[in-house]
Amino acid sequence: MRSFRKPVLLAVLGVVSLAACAKVPGDARKPADTPKAGASLARTAGSTVEAKPAAGTPDARAIDAIRVLEPRAVVEHVGNAPLPGFREVVVAGQVAYVSDDGRYLFIPGAGGALYDTVNKNNLTEVSLAGLRTKLLQQIPQSDRIVFAPPNPRHRVTVFTDISCGFCRKFHSEIAEYNRQGIAVEYVAFPRAGIGSDDYRQMVSVWCAPDRRKALTDAKNDRMPPMRTCKNPVDMEYDIGQRAGLTGTPMVIADDGTQLGGYVPPDKLREILDKMEPAKKAG
């Protein structure tokens, strides 16, 4: 099974990378290998030839913008861009575009984004977070499969698939997420697509008398009996598509921020704790 990860440049620039299974129809049956911890993707200056333009030029400002986000990054190329007012840069084989004044960084392609390097904001994520919040409000609590501690400190919505290796790893630690004070609210995203075997199995989970047990069993290769009923799987799948899902699991905070794919329980708690002051200020 293939796994989806953000482009290398996003990881080099310190952006949260996704450990997730790709949304690829027909690729949902074979369990994934156990995910391995990724090494740092930032290159050292001695491992490649670094571009060194004259100080004060747009090229130099482009490199400075990259360094603001990731001081260790090595810009291998900087030059003219097809976008007026931008310079083209290459970091670790990935192309990005930096505005001539060095403020805005645009990473094209799937999972791409526009960054404000002065305020260190992902402007694309800010826009998508608002959209996700509205979309998730359309999913009733009764249509979610919830694993929560008695008095949760944090709550996340997780788009999940029963066959994805990263989804299974996430769920294998569900008790620890709860111990960390995190309530996990699962919604369905059969990444092999509507009408697939994966889809029918997820419908069976959502139609089971005990959804929590059925989901846990399914993630451990103990598929529940095939059932059909009025269920939210189609609706949740559609919302996942509209929310920009590219892989499962997709973990979303209450404010719509995408927090990653598989994130270890202690790390997720740390991220959510750091978000609290911003939430109160907002």
Side-chain angles (χ1 to χ4, degrees):
M1 178 181 293
R2 294 187 296 172
S3 64
F4 169 84
R5 293 184 185 275
K6 289 265 188 180
V8 172
L9 183 56
L10 295 186
V12 170
L13 298 181
V15 180
V16 175
S17 62
L18 293 184
C21 299
K23 182 191 70 178
V24 181
D27 189 29
R29 295 296 299 170
K30 183 180 177 182
D33 292 335
T34 301
K36 299 178 181 178
S40 170
L41 293 173
R43 297 188 182 184
T44 61
S47 64
T48 188
V49 178
E50 183 175 18
K52 294 183 179 180
T57 63
D59 286 358
R61 286 193 288 270
I63 293 178
D64 289 342
I66 296 290
R67 292 277 171 70
V68 165
L69 298 177
E70 175 48 76
R72 301 167 299 169
V74 175
V75 176
E76 301 165 20
H77 164 78
V78 60
N80 294 330
L83 297 173
F86 281 77
R87 307 303 290 168
E88 181 180 270
V89 298
V90 176
V91 179
Q94 299 283 337
V95 176
Y97 301 99
V98 180
S99 58
D100 287 345
D101 62 4
R103 175 160 189 172
Y104 297 104
L105 168 67
F106 174 60
I107 302 174
L114 177 66
Y115 295 89
D116 181 336
T117 65
V118 173
N119 295 317
K120 298 185 179 180
N121 286 339
N122 181 335
L123 300 178
T124 301
E125 179 60 28
V126 171
S127 296
L128 286 175
L131 171 63
R132 292 190 197 106
T133 299
K134 294 178 181 178
L135 289 172
L136 292 177
Q137 289 173 351
Q138 299 176 28
I139 305 177
Q141 194 71 11
S142 60
D143 285 341
R144 304 171 183 229
I145 300 179
V146 180
F147 291 80
N151 297 294
R153 179 169 179 175
H154 302 293
R155 190 173 300 274
V156 294
T157 300
V158 179
F159 282 89
T160 193
D161 177 88
I162 60 175
S163 64
C164 166
F166 287 108
C167 294
R168 291 183 172 201
K169 179 169 178 58
F170 187 102
H171 192 66
S172 72
E173 299 174 339
I174 196 67
E176 183 58 28
Y177 287 105
N178 288 170
R179 278 193 289 271
Q180 293 284 344
I182 303 170
V184 176
E185 299 187 355
Y186 283 121
V187 294
F189 193 89
R191 63 195 184 84
I194 301 298
S196 64
D197 287 346
D198 192 38
Y199 165 81
R200 287 187 286 272
Q201 290 166 355
M202 295 197 76
V203 167
S204 297
V205 167
W206 256 257
C207 289
D210 185 342
R211 290 176 175 176
R212 285 163 46 101
K213 182 178 185 302
L215 183 65
T216 298
D217 286 347
K219 287 177 181 286
N220 287 282
D221 290 324
R222 298 190 299 270
M223 295 300 168
M226 297 300 289
R227 291 184 174 91
T228 58
C229 66
K230 183 179 179 180
N231 67 83
V233 175
D234 289 65
M235 178 264 290
E236 293 176 359
Y237 179 84
D238 177 65
I239 287 178
Q241 298 265 49
R242 292 160 62 193
L245 185 149
T246 51
T248 55
M250 182 166 80
V251 182
I252 303 175
D254 279 343
D255 67 354
T257 301
Q258 182 179 353
L259 303 180
Y262 166 74
V263 182
D266 58 342
K267 179 63 175 177
L268 185 58
R269 168 64 183 270
E270 178 184 342
I271 293 170
L272 292 167
D273 284 349
K274 288 180 178 178
M275 291 176 65
E276 278 190 323
K279 286 169 62 177
K280 291 177 181 177

